[in-house]
Amino acid sequence: MRIWSREAKLWAVDMRRIIASVQVLAETCAKHEPKPLLETRACALSAKDFGEHMSIVTVQLGQCGNQIGFEVFDALLRDSHSFQGLCSKRENEAYQTSCKERFFSEEENGDLTNLKPANQSSSLDFPIARAVLVDMEPKVINQTLSKAAQSGRWKYVSISGSYCVHGPRHEESIMNLIQKEVEKCDSFSGFFIIMSMAGGTGSGLGAFVTQNLQDQYPNSLKMNQIIWPYGTGEVIVQNYNSILTLSHLYRSSDALLVHENDAVHKICAKLMNIKQISFSDINQVLAHQLGSTFQLRIDWQVRPPLSGLPPLRKISLSKDLHFNTSIANLVILRGNDVQSADVEGFKDPALYTSWLEPVHAFNVWKTQRAFSKYEKSAVLVSNSQFLVKPLDMIVKKAWNMFASKAYIHQYTKFGIEEEDFLDSFTLLEQVIASYCNL
């Protein structure tokens, strides 16, 4: 996973978004140690850390966004009811309450009594995901609604039936649904937008909706979770769609959390030994990565460094990077023995850019409240150079197609001009240059 953030413009010239990588090392035994990352100070989480119930509204866009969104909500609710006894009963109850308020609202409905788990009283409210489902065809949404209802644990309510065409046509209905979800929150934190990057509803409509959210909710956090396409290709114009989507989100999103299909596929094949890998397998891995991170009360605001800004200098992309230089990192340790975890190896200044001290760039959070079925787990959220090569690859492939005018007419007939492509190339090349200068 990777992140871009608006606050990055405070850190370096022409760096208005942060690319970050997230690695999740879910462990069921102690024989696998987390890779040496970085560390500044340890923060042990207690019941009070789960006490601030800031609600998040999730916007699921297209087939990809809706399928992943379902898995995320299902993983969150499963986790909230899986108590392994590693933390106190009070901490676990606070954790459950925090999850419920942050990601779910409640509805009294006697007709849903038979859907409640056996250990719940029929007088309890039924969890409803704080989510808006958007797609241009009903099939995937209907399947998602049905799977949620059949789970017997929670359900969806808000649904809606690409950028230059479908966005303006359905803008009012989509934004009205989002507004209704926001108004249900007692304490609203921001939006989590799940979408693809390669093509379809997610990329075009996702960029359009994010821009509208920025216009209507400028002071609320907008974090986009986007799926980076397979390097071998899924859609013939996926590189065009990717640069257009990234450049639009660059201007309107606070953070981009990126999952690479190739990387998640390797997790399924090599770490989980799945022979016939399905999209459901991939989505469940994504859901566990996201759920183990967002269950905790984390301040996602990006802090600028205390020192001055460095001058930009030219660096060739062909230069081999021995490691990915970082400017902001967070490690989350959960489960058994996390308080005794040795993080001294994470303090190496060589892992950071020269103009930023580790103490200003890194934090570690610890809690004995394990995630789901895992005895212990570690998550790294890293703002680093990790995405430079894949981003540069997509930009180069898109430029090669653009130089030969391949498929440009498929965009110009819907109102996207060649100048829009050139603006996207320029912006993303600035991002690449900024991260190379770390």
Side-chain angles (χ1 to χ4, degrees), residues 261-272 277:
N261 270 336
D262 289 309
V264 180
H265 195 96
K266 288 180 181 179
I267 292 175
C268 293
K270 296 183 178 180
L271 298 182
M272 302 176 69
I277 301 173

Side-chain angles (χ1 to χ4, degrees), residues 102-236:
R102 184 174 295 132
F103 299 103
F104 297 90
S105 59
E106 295 177 339
E107 177 182 78
E108 289 255 358
N109 192 329
D111 295 334
L112 295 173
T113 301
N114 63 324
L115 295 177
K116 299 178 185 297
N119 62 346
Q120 287 190 9
S121 168
S122 60
S123 63
L124 293 179
D125 294 328
F126 194 78
I128 299 174
R130 297 187 186 275
V132 175
L133 288 67
V134 183
D135 204 352
M136 292 299 103
E137 58 181 7
K139 180 180 178 180
V140 173
I141 286 185
N142 289 338
Q143 291 174 344
T144 305
L145 295 175
S146 177
K147 288 177 66 177
Q150 291 173 6
S151 72
R153 294 180 296 272
W154 60 282
K155 70 170 187 175
Y156 286 110
V157 170
S158 297
I159 61 174
S160 174
S162 295
Y163 192 91
C164 289
V165 178
H166 296 301
R169 183 183 301 164
H170 300 282
E171 174 183 357
E172 183 177 357
S173 62
I174 294 173
M175 299 310 296
N176 284 342
L177 285 173
I178 293 175
Q179 181 179 345
K180 289 179 181 178
E181 283 298 323
V182 172
E183 291 173 350
K184 293 178 184 178
C185 303
D186 293 331
S187 182
F188 176 64
S189 174
F191 299 99
F192 185 47
I193 305 150
I194 308 177
M195 54 187 282
S196 67
M197 191 176 77
T201 303
S203 57
L205 189 58
F208 181 86
V209 170
T210 303
Q211 179 59 62
N212 276 268
L213 292 176
Q214 171 61 20
D215 294 339
Q216 295 191 27
Y217 303 92
N219 297 321
S220 299
L221 176 69
K222 288 159 287 292
M223 177 176 285
N224 293 68
Q225 190 265 342
I226 59 178
I227 302 300
W228 200 273
Y230 283 103
T232 54
E234 303 171 39
V235 182
I236 191 65

Side-chain angles (χ1 to χ4, degrees), residues 38-96:
L38 358 280
E39 208 268 25
T40 56
R41 54 196 174 282
C43 300
L45 302 185
S46 61
K48 66 182 179 64
D49 292 295
F50 306 118
E52 295 186 7
H53 309 319
M54 299 291 289
S55 299
I56 297 172
V57 172
T58 299
V59 183
Q60 303 175 188
L61 292 138
Q63 177 176 347
C64 176
N66 281 292
Q67 291 178 341
I68 293 176
F70 165 79
E71 296 291 351
V72 169
F73 280 107
D74 203 54
L76 289 171
L77 204 60
R78 284 178 182 271
D79 168 64
S80 69
H81 291 290
S82 63
F83 179 44
Q84 298 180 351
L86 298 176
C87 62
S88 68
K89 182 178 179 181
R90 177 173 172 267
E91 287 176 325
N92 188 65
E93 290 175 349
Y95 180 87
Q96 291 178 326

Side-chain angles (χ1 to χ4, degrees), residues 260-318:
E260 292 180 272
N261 270 336
D262 289 309
V264 180
H265 195 96
K266 288 180 181 179
I267 292 175
C268 293
K270 296 183 178 180
L271 298 182
M272 302 176 69
N273 295 319
I274 300 176
K275 303 302 180 183
Q276 300 292 331
I277 301 173
S278 66
F279 280 114
S280 178
D281 296 322
I282 291 176
N283 293 342
Q284 287 177 17
V285 171
L286 299 180
H288 281 212
Q289 291 187 354
L290 294 170
S292 62
T293 303
F294 294 123
Q295 280 283 47
L296 306 180
R297 180 184 65 81
I298 298 173
D299 180 10
W300 290 100
Q301 295 299 316
V302 180
R303 297 174 302 155
L306 301 180
S307 58
L309 299 178
L312 283 177
R313 53 193 173 88
K314 293 184 178 180
I315 293 183
S316 173
L317 281 178
S318 61

